[in-house]
Amino acid sequence: MDLPQSSQRWIEAGEALLPDLIALRRAIHAEPELGLHLPLTTAKAKAALAGLPLEIHEGPSTTGFMAVLRGPANGRTVLLRGDMDALPLHEDTGLEFSSQHDGAMHACGHDTHVAMLAGAARALCARKDELAGTVIFMFQPGEEGHHGARWMMDDGLLDVVTPDAAFALHVSPNVPSGVFAGRAGPLLAAADRFEIAVTGRGGHASQPHDACDPIPIACEIVTAIQAMVTRTVPAFDPVVVTVGRIEAGTTNNVIPERAVIEGTIRSFSEHSRELAHAGLARLAPNIAAAHGASAVVDIDPGFPVTVCKAPAVDLAERVATDLFGAQAWRTMPSPAMGAEDFAYVLQKVPGAMVFLGATPQGGDFRSCCALHSNRMVLDENVMARGVAMHCAYAEAFLSGGFEP
Ligand code: NI
């Protein structure tokens, strides 16, 4: 299909809204909130939508909400999503609108996501009568490990109005400013936390034969995990298991009773994810038993793999290049090992997540501070492009962009 000849008006809408987007983004940035309940952020987002012809749907589990825009026709429905929460770290950017909440910072750019989604709502509402269907704006808290998308789905918010396709943008300082980047298939990894507690028998460090030392057993488990990954997981379906914490003992001359290992499992398919889980569950107790100790494995499942459907990514590429030219799109050669809870939405609804480059002015995208850094700074001007992309993607999908 051909894209609607409306690119220019979405570009102009984004540019006209930019001063408002910057003001909203800075206000949210200065008052970051963590987790599933973000009263200040939600209030700012709703204030930005005041007066627009939107139905608001909320659930009991979070302060997130769905704002629904119904066009005149009973066509398809597209969901646009923006996450809203900050991270628990101290901000060191020196920006004039830096966090006023010590211990919290918008270091993942979700402040810009809220502003772009609110801007897209405003721009699409202005052309409501031309829409060939319905647009859902999903304002979602709790992305940073709190399963906010899943809570909103468990609250039934995806069932009030059921989307046929879903789309999300994520800014990144490590993609050139204004460039959209995406890929079909797995985009981001599943991320599961694990803890292994090895229990032996404490004693005097000079007499290990009278004790059961859990420390060498824990070390053996750490190396066995790496061998397990390379020997049981197919090489073309990669898994990363990293032990990030190992803790045991109190001093030089005491053998402790326990050693604890904590780490993360990153994977790109349910098959390899299950192989890694089963491998940990098999190795740790058996290695411990071989030495007369015991081990308990606890796996805390995190976000699933973020999988983008090829037709949805193709549409994003066509929309981005139609708006801003061929240079404005990059197909990512490989997925990244980060994780994202939009994965829950994409498990139910075909769609895509796309990165939007936001390298700070004067910075180098290869070396500037990454997302989650205490010094992460963004080029907020790219929000105008983000609004145009949201709007044009929604319009293109509703006009028949791809078969869901
Ligand atoms: Ni993020």
Side-chain angles (χ1 to χ4, degrees):
M1 49 111 19
D2 289 324
L3 290 171
Q5 296 304 312
S6 55
S7 299
Q8 193 56 36
R9 71 187 198 194
W10 294 129
I11 294 170
E12 286 166 10
E15 284 170 358
L17 284 164
L18 187 58
D20 290 346
L21 302 175
I22 290 174
L24 175 58
R25 182 260 166 157
R26 291 184 177 192
I28 294 169
H29 191 93
E31 297 186 302
E33 297 174 291
L34 308 177
L36 297 169
H37 298 279
L38 318 175
L40 299 174
T41 311
T42 300
K44 290 182 185 101
K46 284 186 176 170
L49 304 177
L52 297 179
L54 298 165
E55 288 168 33
I56 304 290
H57 299 278
E58 293 163 292
S61 303
T62 79
T63 61
F65 64 95
M66 302 287 204
V68 179
L69 169 62
R70 293 181 194 272
N74 266 336
R76 297 167 158 191
T77 298
V78 63
L79 178 148
L80 305 175
R81 177 271 210 168
D83 44 2
M84 309 172 81
D85 57 324
L87 282 157
L89 74 159
H90 179 81
E91 177 164 356
D92 292 308
T93 60
L95 292 169
E96 61 188 29
F97 51 93
S98 283
S99 171
Q100 296 162 11
H101 295 172
D102 196 29
M105 173 187 173
H106 269 290
C108 201
H110 300 182
D111 48 350
T112 66
H113 300 173
V114 180
M116 289 191 291
L117 195 61
R122 187 157 288 279
L124 283 163
C125 282
R127 297 199 172 265
K128 173 177 184 280
D129 294 338
E130 299 160 36
L131 281 183
T134 300
V135 186
I136 304 171
F137 303 92
M138 180 182 189
F139 288 87
Q140 182 224 300
E143 192 285 320
E144 298 292 354
H146 303 275
H147 304 272
R150 196 185 66 199
W151 283 110
M152 289 182 75
M153 291 164 75
D154 288 350
D155 283 347
L157 290 173
L158 230 52
D159 307 320
V160 181
V161 184
T162 308
D164 302 302
F167 180 72
L169 283 174
H170 201 304
V171 292
S172 171
N174 301 114
V175 175
S177 242
V179 171
F180 295 89
R183 74 189 303 276
L187 176 75
L188 294 163
D192 306 314
R193 195 190 71 87
F194 70 91
E195 191 177 278
I196 300 171
V198 181
T199 303
R201 196 172 61 255
H204 198 290
S206 68
Q207 299 175 71
H209 55 281
D210 288 332
C212 178
D213 188 349
I215 290 179
I217 300 169
C219 295
E220 205 171 311
I221 291 171
V222 172
T223 41
I225 288 170
Q226 299 311 325
M228 177 274 289
V229 169
T230 64
R231 301 299 88 184
T232 61
V233 177
F236 290 104
D237 188 6
V239 165
V240 166
V241 180
T242 292
V243 172
R245 183 174 73 93
I246 177 162
E247 210 169 280
T250 50
T251 186
N252 76 94
N253 58 359
V254 169
I255 290 174
E257 185 174 276
R258 259 162 60 96
V260 175
I261 299 162
E262 186 186 359
T264 183
I265 306 163
R266 304 292 168 120
S267 58
F268 286 106
S269 74
E270 284 305 316
H271 177 66
S272 64
R273 186 185 197 183
E274 281 163 20
L275 285 175
H277 287 198
L280 289 182
R282 188 175 63 244
L283 286 181
N286 283 308
I287 291 171
H291 294 285
S294 64
V296 175
V297 180
D298 182 34
I299 298 176
D300 178 18
F303 303 155
V305 186
T306 302
V307 181
C308 299
K309 287 277 190 296
V313 178
D314 288 346
L315 184 64
E317 177 175 356
R318 278 185 284 151
V319 169
T321 53
D322 189 57
L323 284 168
F324 302 112
Q327 301 302 314
W329 177 264
R330 275 191 186 185
T331 297
M332 294 164 62
S334 61
M337 281 286 175
E340 179 37 81
D341 84 345
F342 190 55
Y344 291 117
V345 177
L346 293 182
Q347 277 185 328
K348 284 229 162 165
V349 186
M353 179 171 200
V354 166
F355 290 101
L356 168 56
T359 312
Q361 284 169 350
D364 182 336
F365 74 93
R366 284 160 293 228
S367 58
C368 64
C369 288
L371 296 173
H372 291 212
S373 158
N374 57 329
R375 298 183 194 279
M376 198 279 296
V377 176
L378 296 166
D379 175 7
E380 53 192 4
N381 295 315
V382 303
M383 291 191 292
R385 283 194 170 204
V387 167
M389 183 69 178
H390 269 314
C391 294
Y393 192 92
E395 182 186 51
F397 176 75
L398 295 182
S399 311
F402 69 90
E403 286 308 314

